Amino acid sequence: QALLVESGGGLVQAGDSLTLSCVASGRAFSGYTMGWFRQGPGKEREFVAAISWSGGSTHYADSARGRFTISRDNAKNTVYLQMNSLKPEDTAVYYCAADATGGALRVTWRLYDYWGQGTQVTVSS
């Protein structure tokens, strides 16, 4: 059974950068689409970014495009989210998720099969 563990969250100032990591267990990891979602205080969980198993295709939410970069290193069973120019609106718990279905990169969190415990990102003004 797949297990995902996020790390790298913390408290930063607006304009700073932060990189999140997600380490996955399971032999099928390299065949899964991987995604990042977030949930801010009082808000619903929302899509941030997704990446195909090969890393050749990516998709970003409008709020993330141009500032965030998703990448993966399958040899290390790790997915990354590089976040630049952080804003207070980015404050949220960030979750790593795995989609075993593959195919098109999906933005609906309910369609993902495995989830990490989340890591808190707080951006101060």
Side-chain angles (χ1 to χ4, degrees):
Q1 186 173 345
L3 177 64
L4 310 177
V5 180
E6 304 98 332
S7 63
L11 174 63
V12 298
Q13 292 183 304
D16 284 354
S17 297
L18 197 63
T19 298
L20 307 182
S21 298
C22 172
V23 179
S25 63
R27 296 182 181 181
F29 169 78
S30 64
Y32 290 6
T33 293
M34 300 298 297
W36 287 96
F37 294 78
R38 68 186 184 187
Q39 187 165 17
K43 299 180 179 180
E44 297 182 3
R45 188 174 303 181
E46 65 176 357
F47 171 79
V48 177
I51 187 168
S52 63
W53 74 268
S54 68
S57 298
T58 58
H59 180 60
Y60 297 92
D62 290 342
S63 60
R65 188 175 296 108
R67 298 189 300 127
F68 294 3
T69 302
I70 187 171
S71 61
R72 68 192 295 167
D73 185 341
N74 290 340
K76 298 181 178 179
N77 285 351
T78 303
V79 180
Y80 305 95
L81 184 68
Q82 173 68 48
M83 303 184 292
N84 298 323
S85 302
L86 284 164
K87 307 173 182 179
E89 305 94 274
D90 296 318
T91 295
V93 176
Y94 283 71
Y95 297 93
C96 176
D99 180 2
T101 300
L105 304 181
R106 305 198 286 188
V107 304
T108 303
W109 69 266
R110 293 176 181 84
L111 300 178
Y112 282 69
D113 300 286
Y114 303 103
W115 293 84
Q117 83 291 341
T119 185
Q120 176 70 48
V121 173
T122 302
V123 184
S124 65
S125 300

